[in-house]
Amino acid sequence: MASRVRHLTFDCSDAYGLGQFWAAVLDGSLADDDAPGDPEALVTAPGSALLFLAVPEGKAVKNRLHVDLQPQDRTRDEEVARVLALGATLVADHRRPDGTGWVTLADPEGNEFCVERSAAERVQHP
């Protein structure tokens, strides 16, 4: 049997704080034993698990791997607005006039991720 990805791991300065951000983005939850100041925090959400590990060095270059989000119950644009309100920042806007495209955001520690169109939007504009 092949291996499975158990979780994606992010190096960060504040594991609990970044975990709270991603738990809100994914409508997930932090592990019951996670607390502010802990060196690691685990976020679980339907279909995904993210592990945040506190490290002494800061982010220095562009991510070699990033997360692509697909909204489940809202449009891409509604999801971008929601995630920006949670504390993300806009990195690049690749939306096109025909409704296709994506938006690149960064989490509070600068890790880039993209918000793509929802499945419903992909049916409307393949």
Side-chain angles (χ1 to χ4, degrees), residues 69-89:
L69 302 177
Q70 183 181 48
Q72 299 300 298
D73 59 354
R74 59 184 60 94
T75 67
R76 174 200 54 212
D77 296 348
E78 291 168 338
E79 183 68 349
V80 167
R82 184 183 79 85
V83 175
L84 286 170
L86 291 172
T89 56

Side-chain angles (χ1 to χ4, degrees), residues 21-41:
F21 170 81
W22 280 101
V25 168
L26 298 174
D27 195 23
S29 60
L30 285 160
D32 291 339
D33 59 349
D34 288 333
D38 283 354
E40 64 181 58

Side-chain angles (χ1 to χ4, degrees), residues 90-108:
L90 178 66
V91 173
D93 192 333
H94 303 282
R95 290 177 278 196
R96 298 183 192 108
D98 67 356
T100 62
W102 68 95
V103 178
T104 304
L105 302 174
D107 70 20

Side-chain angles (χ1 to χ4, degrees), residues 46-81:
S48 60
L50 305 179
L51 179 64
F52 299 92
L53 299 176
V55 297
E57 61 275 357
K59 182 177 177 294
V61 297
K62 184 180 182 294
N63 298 5
R64 297 288 307 263
L65 172 78
H66 70 266
V67 175
D68 288 337
L69 302 177
Q70 183 181 48
Q72 299 300 298
D73 59 354
R74 59 184 60 94
T75 67
R76 174 200 54 212
D77 296 348
E78 291 168 338
E79 183 68 349
V80 167

